[in-house]
Amino acid sequence: MTDAEAPAMRLIYTTWPDAEAAERVAAVLLNDRLVACANMLAPMRSVFRWEGAVQRETEIPVLFKTSARRAVEVQQRISALHPYDEPCIIALPVDSRASSEGFLRWVSLQVSG
């Protein structure tokens, strides 16, 4: 499969203060057909500097699967709905040459609206 044949996909990595917030926003993004899937992972321990002090928090990482075409909309929607002042939202490109063609097409179909 060539890059021209496969739909371009993005994996959007985010972190959330709790599972409830993550699941609530995932449902909104799925209902709005902005993402095909949200994978909520096990709680993790985050250590980071915020406002001059080292913070330690438990967070829920979530991976959203969407098309490259919808990635900016997903980022904007997450930003609007997220409880953090500066949420972690990182869009990662997916190498279509090393990915399942059928899965990439499924993602594209789910977010085509």
PDB file of all heavy atoms in Angstrom, residues 24-40:
ATOM      1  N   ARG A  24     -16.305  11.232  29.390  1.00  0.00           N
ATOM      2  CA  ARG A  24     -17.309  12.224  28.971  1.00  0.00           C
ATOM      3  C   ARG A  24     -16.906  12.879  27.658  1.00  0.00           C
ATOM      4  O   ARG A  24     -17.700  12.974  26.726  1.00  0.00           O
ATOM      5  CB  ARG A  24     -17.476  13.279  30.077  1.00  0.00           C
ATOM      6  CG  ARG A  24     -18.482  14.374  29.747  1.00  0.00           C
ATOM      7  CD  ARG A  24     -18.602  15.385  30.889  1.00  0.00           C
ATOM      8  NE  ARG A  24     -17.325  15.887  31.372  1.00  0.00           N
ATOM      9  CZ  ARG A  24     -16.599  16.840  30.776  1.00  0.00           C
ATOM     10  NH1 ARG A  24     -17.029  17.390  29.665  1.00  0.00           N
ATOM     11  NH2 ARG A  24     -15.457  17.250  31.298  1.00  0.00           N
ATOM     12  N   VAL A  25     -15.661  13.315  27.557  1.00  0.00           N
ATOM     13  CA  VAL A  25     -15.197  13.977  26.337  1.00  0.00           C
ATOM     14  C   VAL A  25     -15.082  12.976  25.186  1.00  0.00           C
ATOM     15  O   VAL A  25     -15.417  13.299  24.048  1.00  0.00           O
ATOM     16  CB  VAL A  25     -13.882  14.731  26.586  1.00  0.00           C
ATOM     17  CG1 VAL A  25     -13.301  15.283  25.299  1.00  0.00           C
ATOM     18  CG2 VAL A  25     -14.127  15.865  27.589  1.00  0.00           C
ATOM     19  N   ALA A  26     -14.664  11.761  25.472  1.00  0.00           N
ATOM     20  CA  ALA A  26     -14.603  10.732  24.427  1.00  0.00           C
ATOM     21  C   ALA A  26     -15.986  10.519  23.813  1.00  0.00           C
ATOM     22  O   ALA A  26     -16.114  10.414  22.586  1.00  0.00           O
ATOM     23  CB  ALA A  26     -14.065   9.430  24.998  1.00  0.00           C
ATOM     24  N   ALA A  27     -17.013  10.486  24.650  1.00  0.00           N
ATOM     25  CA  ALA A  27     -18.372  10.301  24.142  1.00  0.00           C
ATOM     26  C   ALA A  27     -18.789  11.458  23.237  1.00  0.00           C
ATOM     27  O   ALA A  27     -19.405  11.251  22.189  1.00  0.00           O
ATOM     28  CB  ALA A  27     -19.350  10.154  25.308  1.00  0.00           C
ATOM     29  N   VAL A  28     -18.445  12.675  23.618  1.00  0.00           N
ATOM     30  CA  VAL A  28     -18.759  13.848  22.786  1.00  0.00           C
ATOM     31  C   VAL A  28     -18.058  13.744  21.437  1.00  0.00           C
ATOM     32  O   VAL A  28     -18.682  13.939  20.385  1.00  0.00           O
ATOM     33  CB  VAL A  28     -18.361  15.163  23.503  1.00  0.00           C
ATOM     34  CG1 VAL A  28     -18.447  16.357  22.555  1.00  0.00           C
ATOM     35  CG2 VAL A  28     -19.228  15.392  24.732  1.00  0.00           C
ATOM     36  N   LEU A  29     -16.762  13.428  21.445  1.00  0.00           N
ATOM     37  CA  LEU A  29     -16.004  13.341  20.195  1.00  0.00           C
ATOM     38  C   LEU A  29     -16.516  12.213  19.304  1.00  0.00           C
ATOM     39  O   LEU A  29     -16.580  12.360  18.079  1.00  0.00           O
ATOM     40  CB  LEU A  29     -14.522  13.163  20.492  1.00  0.00           C
ATOM     41  CG  LEU A  29     -13.843  14.313  21.239  1.00  0.00           C
ATOM     42  CD1 LEU A  29     -12.396  13.969  21.548  1.00  0.00           C
ATOM     43  CD2 LEU A  29     -13.932  15.607  20.467  1.00  0.00           C
ATOM     44  N   LEU A  30     -16.896  11.097  19.906  1.00  0.00           N
ATOM     45  CA  LEU A  30     -17.466   9.994  19.126  1.00  0.00           C
ATOM     46  C   LEU A  30     -18.828  10.371  18.548  1.00  0.00           C
ATOM     47  O   LEU A  30     -19.104  10.125  17.369  1.00  0.00           O
ATOM     48  CB  LEU A  30     -17.590   8.741  19.987  1.00  0.00           C
ATOM     49  CG  LEU A  30     -16.283   8.007  20.244  1.00  0.00           C
ATOM     50  CD1 LEU A  30     -16.414   7.073  21.439  1.00  0.00           C
ATOM     51  CD2 LEU A  30     -15.855   7.237  18.998  1.00  0.00           C
ATOM     52  N   ASN A  31     -19.666  10.974  19.361  1.00  0.00           N
ATOM     53  CA  ASN A  31     -20.998  11.387  18.885  1.00  0.00           C
ATOM     54  C   ASN A  31     -20.914  12.420  17.770  1.00  0.00           C
ATOM     55  O   ASN A  31     -21.743  12.424  16.864  1.00  0.00           O
ATOM     56  CB  ASN A  31     -21.846  11.925  20.040  1.00  0.00           C
ATOM     57  CG  ASN A  31     -22.306  10.829  20.966  1.00  0.00           C
ATOM     58  OD1 ASN A  31     -22.425   9.669  20.583  1.00  0.00           O
ATOM     59  ND2 ASN A  31     -22.559  11.186  22.212  1.00  0.00           N
ATOM     60  N   ASP A  32     -19.909  13.298  17.837  1.00  0.00           N
ATOM     61  CA  ASP A  32     -19.717  14.313  16.800  1.00  0.00           C
ATOM     62  C   ASP A  32     -18.938  13.780  15.599  1.00  0.00           C
ATOM     63  O   ASP A  32     -18.648  14.536  14.668  1.00  0.00           O
ATOM     64  CB  ASP A  32     -18.986  15.528  17.385  1.00  0.00           C
ATOM     65  CG  ASP A  32     -19.838  16.315  18.363  1.00  0.00           C
ATOM     66  OD1 ASP A  32     -21.060  16.070  18.431  1.00  0.00           O
ATOM     67  OD2 ASP A  32     -19.272  17.174  19.065  1.00  0.00           O
ATOM     68  N   ARG A  33     -18.585  12.491  15.630  1.00  0.00           N
ATOM     69  CA  ARG A  33     -17.838  11.819  14.554  1.00  0.00           C
ATOM     70  C   ARG A  33     -16.495  12.484  14.270  1.00  0.00           C
ATOM     71  O   ARG A  33     -16.015  12.490  13.148  1.00  0.00           O
ATOM     72  CB  ARG A  33     -18.683  11.689  13.291  1.00  0.00           C
ATOM     73  CG  ARG A  33     -19.933  10.838  13.515  1.00  0.00           C
ATOM     74  CD  ARG A  33     -20.678  10.557  12.250  1.00  0.00           C
ATOM     75  NE  ARG A  33     -19.941   9.658  11.384  1.00  0.00           N
ATOM     76  CZ  ARG A  33     -20.167   8.355  11.275  1.00  0.00           C
ATOM     77  NH1 ARG A  33     -21.091   7.791  12.008  1.00  0.00           N
ATOM     78  NH2 ARG A  33     -19.476   7.606  10.434  1.00  0.00           N
ATOM     79  N   LEU A  34     -15.891  13.035  15.321  1.00  0.00           N
ATOM     80  CA  LEU A  34     -14.552  13.614  15.190  1.00  0.00           C
ATOM     81  C   LEU A  34     -13.471  12.557  15.381  1.00  0.00           C
ATOM     82  O   LEU A  34     -12.355  12.714  14.885  1.00  0.00           O
ATOM     83  CB  LEU A  34     -14.354  14.743  16.191  1.00  0.00           C
ATOM     84  CG  LEU A  34     -15.170  16.010  15.936  1.00  0.00           C
ATOM     85  CD1 LEU A  34     -15.005  16.988  17.083  1.00  0.00           C
ATOM     86  CD2 LEU A  34     -14.745  16.641  14.620  1.00  0.00           C
ATOM     87  N   VAL A  35     -13.780  11.501  16.119  1.00  0.00           N
ATOM     88  CA  VAL A  35     -12.841  10.406  16.323  1.00  0.00           C
ATOM     89  C   VAL A  35     -13.553   9.085  16.048  1.00  0.00           C
ATOM     90  O   VAL A  35     -14.778   8.984  16.182  1.00  0.00           O
ATOM     91  CB  VAL A  35     -12.242  10.403  17.756  1.00  0.00           C
ATOM     92  CG1 VAL A  35     -11.497  11.698  18.031  1.00  0.00           C
ATOM     93  CG2 VAL A  35     -13.287  10.138  18.811  1.00  0.00           C
ATOM     94  N   ALA A  36     -12.754   8.078  15.690  1.00  0.00           N
ATOM     95  CA  ALA A  36     -13.297   6.743  15.453  1.00  0.00           C
ATOM     96  C   ALA A  36     -13.263   5.900  16.723  1.00  0.00           C
ATOM     97  O   ALA A  36     -14.061   4.987  16.892  1.00  0.00           O
ATOM     98  CB  ALA A  36     -12.503   6.049  14.358  1.00  0.00           C
ATOM     99  N   CYS A  37     -12.321   6.227  17.605  1.00  0.00           N
ATOM    100  CA  CYS A  37     -12.088   5.395  18.782  1.00  0.00           C
ATOM    101  C   CYS A  37     -11.323   6.204  19.821  1.00  0.00           C
ATOM    102  O   CYS A  37     -10.542   7.084  19.465  1.00  0.00           O
ATOM    103  CB  CYS A  37     -11.272   4.181  18.359  1.00  0.00           C
ATOM    104  SG  CYS A  37     -10.834   3.045  19.678  1.00  0.00           S
ATOM    105  N   ALA A  38     -11.566   5.879  21.077  1.00  0.00           N
ATOM    106  CA  ALA A  38     -10.784   6.452  22.179  1.00  0.00           C
ATOM    107  C   ALA A  38     -10.325   5.300  23.064  1.00  0.00           C
ATOM    108  O   ALA A  38     -11.150   4.520  23.528  1.00  0.00           O
ATOM    109  CB  ALA A  38     -11.625   7.433  22.985  1.00  0.00           C
ATOM    110  N   ASN A  39      -9.026   5.192  23.260  1.00  0.00           N
ATOM    111  CA  ASN A  39      -8.467   4.173  24.144  1.00  0.00           C
ATOM    112  C   ASN A  39      -8.055   4.833  25.445  1.00  0.00           C
ATOM    113  O   ASN A  39      -7.121   5.624  25.469  1.00  0.00           O
ATOM    114  CB  ASN A  39      -7.240   3.511  23.525  1.00  0.00           C
ATOM    115  CG  ASN A  39      -7.566   2.786  22.247  1.00  0.00           C
ATOM    116  OD1 ASN A  39      -7.041   3.140  21.210  1.00  0.00           O
ATOM    117  ND2 ASN A  39      -8.422   1.796  22.297  1.00  0.00           N
ATOM    118  N   MET A  40      -8.778   4.508  26.524  1.00  0.00           N
ATOM    119  CA  MET A  40      -8.458   5.025  27.841  1.00  0.00           C
ATOM    120  C   MET A  40      -7.564   4.018  28.537  1.00  0.00           C
ATOM    121  O   MET A  40      -7.961   2.877  28.749  1.00  0.00           O
ATOM    122  CB  MET A  40      -9.728   5.279  28.624  1.00  0.00           C
ATOM    123  CG  MET A  40     -10.473   6.487  28.085  1.00  0.00           C
ATOM    124  SD  MET A  40     -12.103   6.644  28.766  1.00  0.00           S
ATOM    125  CE  MET A  40     -13.049   6.245  27.321  1.00  0.00           C
TER     126      MET A  40
END
